[in-house]
């Protein structure tokens, strides 16, 4: 394991070395206090420029780089708005495309209105929006998905400044989790209407999305979808409240030099076609899976283990984007960054939903927050079986699982056992954890 996500301090972003030139360029326009929080969100808009491209995951399935949903969670006036400027820079080409599409639609609407009631109406033009407005109805969402499927399977990208906007897009709050599942899994999701005025179709959903919200909004919005796979499909980025230093954060200028350099990377994404197997990235995914199993055993937390599986996929997909951006080559620094993205996602979920994942509590009191707990931290350096059993009881875990947990810890070399003293001793150096 690399990072201890059971701590209240966020895992520190690694140094951005070779192969991470575009992230460094993008972060140069973001205030220093927001760079870590915004880092996981740059990939959703970048990946929307990729089409006709698949990568093989370690399970031997081919995956397109769509279905990325990343939410930034910070308090009001916490700096979330900086994402908007960054997204607009990345999606400039999509904006220009959509303006031309909108002109076609406006002209068609004018023509329809100018025709008399008995006159033949012109057929609606085939238009597809790559960067649709955040305020979109479910019918428009499905209709645009159909158009994008006809448009070479282009991925549509949404940036929702408020999480409640997902209700309108999904057709109601009860449909949000269903839509998130379909988007993440690249499933077909259509509509069947009885009249010609309705939207009928069954397109493949190729969608990437960013969501911004406060901690209270996130907890209230997802409180009924904690254990059905919804949280695992969304990567979260939590920005804790900062110090009262009285300093206004400085942002970049997004000048022509920056935009010209950015466009060179966008061209790489658009030009990449075909199927790829990135062996070092897949090896990293296997390593992260093993590390997550070890962490789940360390904390005796099945929920963490379940969420980690999709957190690995989300980070892996972002690694695929980095692979294209770096001229289809891989570096050690890229591995370190992808690994950090996975840990930061799980740490963020623990900070936002920790107590709710533990016992289903829907309160939002800061003092109640608790997620996966590293039980070794609450034990002395040397301890006996009875001490671990007592600790498990205080954490509402069955005491019958004490012997199994000791066997797992011994197997993973978290502890050693002395037959002479009957005591177990921690071996923290084996954990390889850093903050």
């Amino acid at each position: 394991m690399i990072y201890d996500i059971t701590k209240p301090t966020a895992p520190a972003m690694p140094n951005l070395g070779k192969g991470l030139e575009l992230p460094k360029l993008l972060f140069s326009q973001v205030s220093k206090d927001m760079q870590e929080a915004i880092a996981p969100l740059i990939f959703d808009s970048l990946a929307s420029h990729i089409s006709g491209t698949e990568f093989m995951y370690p399970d031997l399935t081919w995956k397109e780089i769509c279905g990325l949903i990343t939410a930034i969670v910070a308090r009001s006036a916490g700096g979330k708005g900086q994402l908007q400027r960054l997204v607009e820079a990345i999606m400039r080409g999509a904006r220009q495309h959509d303006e031309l599409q909108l002109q076609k639609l406006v002209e068609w609407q004018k023509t329809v209105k100018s025709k008399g009631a008995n006159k033949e109406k012109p057929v609606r033009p085939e238009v597809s929006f790559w960067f649709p407005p955040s305020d979109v109805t479910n019918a428009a969402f499905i209709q645009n998905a159909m158009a994008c499927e006809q448009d070479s399977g282009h991925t549509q990208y949404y940036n929702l400044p408020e999480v409640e906007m997902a209700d309108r897009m999904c057709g109601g709050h009860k449909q949000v989790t269903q839509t998130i599942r379909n988007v993440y899994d690249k499933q077909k999701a259509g509509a069947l209407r009885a009249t010609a005025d309705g939207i009928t179709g069954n397109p493949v959903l190729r969608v990437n999305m960013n969501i911004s919200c406060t901690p209270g909004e996130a907890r209230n919005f997802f409180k009924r979808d904690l254990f059905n796979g919804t949280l695992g499909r969304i990567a979260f980025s939590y920005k804790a409240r900062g110090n009262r230093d009285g300093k206004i954060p400085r942002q970049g200028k997004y000048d022509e030099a920056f935009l010209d350099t950015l466009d060179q990377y966008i061209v790489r994404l658009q030009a990449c076609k075909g199927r790829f197997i990135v062996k070092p990235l897949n090896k990293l995914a296997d390593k992260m899976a093993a590390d997550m199993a070890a962490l789940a055993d360390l904390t005796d937390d099945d929920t963490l283990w379940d969420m980690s599986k999709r957190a690995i996929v989300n980070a892996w997909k972002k690694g695929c984007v980095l692979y294209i951006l770096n001229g289809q080559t891989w570096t050690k620094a890229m591995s370190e960054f992808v690994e950090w993205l996975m840990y930061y996602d799980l740490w963020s979920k623990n900070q936002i939903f920790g107590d709710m994942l533990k016992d289903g509590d829907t309160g939002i009191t800061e003092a109640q927050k608790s997620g996966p707990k590293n039980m070794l931290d609450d034990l002395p350096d040397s301890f006996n079986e009875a001490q671990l059993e007592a600790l498990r009881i205080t954490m509402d875990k069955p005491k019958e699982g004490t012997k199994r947990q000791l066997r797992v810890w011994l197997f993973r070399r978290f502890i050693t056992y002395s037959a002479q003293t009957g005591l177990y001793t921690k071996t923290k150096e084996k954990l390889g954890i850093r903050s």
Side-chain angles (χ1 to χ4, degrees), residues 30-166:
V30 178
S31 63
K32 290 184 178 180
D33 65 309
M34 287 299 297
Q35 289 180 1
E36 283 190 352
I38 285 182
L41 290 103
I42 64 174
F43 296 92
D44 308 68
S45 53
L46 288 170
S48 68
H49 293 284
I50 305 171
S51 62
T53 310
E54 292 181 315
F55 289 82
M56 181 180 281
Y57 193 63
D59 66 359
L60 304 183
T61 62
W62 292 97
K63 297 183 184 296
E64 293 185 53
I65 311 305
C66 57
L68 287 172
I69 308 174
T70 310
I72 182 169
V73 181
R75 287 167 176 79
S76 179
K80 301 186 296 294
Q82 293 190 43
L83 175 66
Q84 182 65 35
R85 296 185 68 199
L86 203 57
V87 163
E88 289 294 337
I90 294 171
M91 300 298 292
R92 277 169 32 256
R95 282 290 194 212
Q96 294 170 4
H97 168 273
D98 290 355
E99 287 175 4
L100 295 175
Q101 300 290 292
L102 184 60
Q103 289 175 13
K104 294 180 184 179
L105 204 57
V106 170
E107 290 300 323
W108 169 75
Q109 290 173 337
K110 288 180 179 179
T111 304
V112 169
K113 292 178 181 179
S114 67
K115 297 287 185 180
N118 297 325
K119 299 293 183 179
E120 185 178 354
K121 309 294 186 186
V123 178
R124 184 182 186 274
E126 293 292 336
V127 295
S128 63
F129 294 94
W130 297 350
F131 187 12
S134 55
D135 185 6
V136 61
T137 65
N138 181 249
F141 174 70
I142 297 298
Q143 186 178 48
N144 197 55
M146 293 164 56
C148 285
E149 187 172 10
Q150 295 297 319
D151 189 7
S152 302
H154 198 283
T155 297
Q156 50 180 328
Y157 167 76
Y158 290 86
N159 183 26
L160 305 184
E162 300 294 340
V163 69
E164 293 85 357
M165 289 181 169

Side-chain angles (χ1 to χ4, degrees), residues 85-294:
R85 296 185 68 199
L86 203 57
V87 163
E88 289 294 337
I90 294 171
M91 300 298 292
R92 277 169 32 256
R95 282 290 194 212
Q96 294 170 4
H97 168 273
D98 290 355
E99 287 175 4
L100 295 175
Q101 300 290 292
L102 184 60
Q103 289 175 13
K104 294 180 184 179
L105 204 57
V106 170
E107 290 300 323
W108 169 75
Q109 290 173 337
K110 288 180 179 179
T111 304
V112 169
K113 292 178 181 179
S114 67
K115 297 287 185 180
N118 297 325
K119 299 293 183 179
E120 185 178 354
K121 309 294 186 186
V123 178
R124 184 182 186 274
E126 293 292 336
V127 295
S128 63
F129 294 94
W130 297 350
F131 187 12
S134 55
D135 185 6
V136 61
T137 65
N138 181 249
F141 174 70
I142 297 298
Q143 186 178 48
N144 197 55
M146 293 164 56
C148 285
E149 187 172 10
Q150 295 297 319
D151 189 7
S152 302
H154 198 283
T155 297
Q156 50 180 328
Y157 167 76
Y158 290 86
N159 183 26
L160 305 184
E162 300 294 340
V163 69
E164 293 85 357
M165 289 181 169
D167 286 348
R168 183 171 173 81
M169 185 182 77
C170 299
H173 188 68
K174 292 183 178 179
Q175 282 72 46
V176 169
T177 180
Q178 176 183 340
T179 302
I180 287 175
R181 291 163 182 255
N182 287 333
V183 165
Y184 181 89
D185 298 327
K186 205 192 75 175
Q187 293 295 311
K188 287 181 175 290
L192 180 63
R193 300 293 181 262
T195 66
D197 293 332
I199 302 300
T200 297
N202 193 30
V204 174
L205 291 183
R206 290 182 175 88
V207 180
N208 289 336
M209 188 185 309
N210 285 141
I211 303 172
S212 300
C213 57
T214 64
E217 288 173 332
R219 289 164 65 85
N220 183 61
F221 193 85
F222 294 107
K223 63 184 178 183
R224 300 187 184 279
D225 300 308
L226 299 175
F227 305 104
N228 59 14
T230 301
L231 286 189
R233 287 173 165 86
I234 303 173
F236 281 84
S237 177
Y238 176 64
K239 170 67 165 56
R241 188 189 299 276
N243 297 326
R244 300 172 185 168
D245 54 13
K247 297 179 181 179
I248 298 176
R250 297 299 193 257
Q251 301 182 42
K253 298 179 180 179
Y254 293 87
D255 56 21
E256 288 301 319
F258 168 83
L259 296 175
D260 288 344
T261 305
L262 172 59
D263 287 346
Q264 296 174 27
Y265 287 98
I266 298 298
V267 169
R268 291 185 184 181
L269 297 174
Q270 295 171 338
C272 184
K273 308 292 181 183
R275 285 186 159 187
F276 301 87
I277 301 175
V278 188
K279 292 183 179 179
L281 176 57
N282 287 355
K283 183 178 180 180
L284 173 64
D286 283 330
K287 174 185 179 299
M288 291 192 294
D291 287 346
M292 284 299 99

Side-chain angles (χ1 to χ4, degrees), residues 192-411:
L192 180 63
R193 300 293 181 262
T195 66
D197 293 332
I199 302 300
T200 297
N202 193 30
V204 174
L205 291 183
R206 290 182 175 88
V207 180
N208 289 336
M209 188 185 309
N210 285 141
I211 303 172
S212 300
C213 57
T214 64
E217 288 173 332
R219 289 164 65 85
N220 183 61
F221 193 85
F222 294 107
K223 63 184 178 183
R224 300 187 184 279
D225 300 308
L226 299 175
F227 305 104
N228 59 14
T230 301
L231 286 189
R233 287 173 165 86
I234 303 173
F236 281 84
S237 177
Y238 176 64
K239 170 67 165 56
R241 188 189 299 276
N243 297 326
R244 300 172 185 168
D245 54 13
K247 297 179 181 179
I248 298 176
R250 297 299 193 257
Q251 301 182 42
K253 298 179 180 179
Y254 293 87
D255 56 21
E256 288 301 319
F258 168 83
L259 296 175
D260 288 344
T261 305
L262 172 59
D263 287 346
Q264 296 174 27
Y265 287 98
I266 298 298
V267 169
R268 291 185 184 181
L269 297 174
Q270 295 171 338
C272 184
K273 308 292 181 183
R275 285 186 159 187
F276 301 87
I277 301 175
V278 188
K279 292 183 179 179
L281 176 57
N282 287 355
K283 183 178 180 180
L284 173 64
D286 283 330
K287 174 185 179 299
M288 291 192 294
D291 287 346
M292 284 299 99
L295 181 58
D297 283 338
L298 180 63
T299 59
D300 195 20
D301 193 303
D302 288 332
T303 300
L304 172 64
W305 168 238
D306 291 339
M307 287 196 303
S308 71
K309 298 172 185 177
R310 292 191 175 100
I312 294 171
V313 177
N314 284 330
W316 175 87
K317 284 185 176 180
K318 294 172 181 180
C320 294
V321 178
L322 291 175
Y323 175 77
I324 300 173
L325 291 170
N326 194 44
Q328 300 179 20
T329 58
W330 194 258
T331 69
K332 180 182 178 182
M334 291 161 64
S335 289
E336 293 173 349
F337 190 65
V338 169
E339 195 165 15
W340 172 79
L341 287 169
M342 187 269 296
Y343 279 99
Y344 196 85
D345 173 20
L346 292 174
W347 174 84
S348 296
K349 289 185 172 83
N350 293 336
Q351 296 301 304
I352 303 165
F353 305 105
D355 60 304
M356 298 167 71
L357 293 171
K358 179 181 179 182
D359 56 20
D361 181 19
T362 58
I364 59 173
T365 304
E366 289 288 333
Q368 293 176 339
K369 288 189 177 180
S370 61
K373 180 69 174 176
N374 183 343
M375 285 188 276
L376 279 176
D377 285 347
D378 288 343
L379 292 167
D381 290 343
S382 294
F383 60 93
N384 58 31
E385 181 178 334
Q387 287 174 293
L388 175 58
E389 181 178 294
L391 176 61
R392 289 178 60 87
I393 292 174
T394 64
M395 299 177 67
D396 297 325
K397 294 182 181 291
K399 66 179 182 179
E400 292 78 11
T402 304
K403 293 185 181 296
R404 176 191 174 279
Q405 187 163 8
L406 287 170
R407 289 196 300 270
V408 171
W409 283 2
L410 286 167
F411 173 76

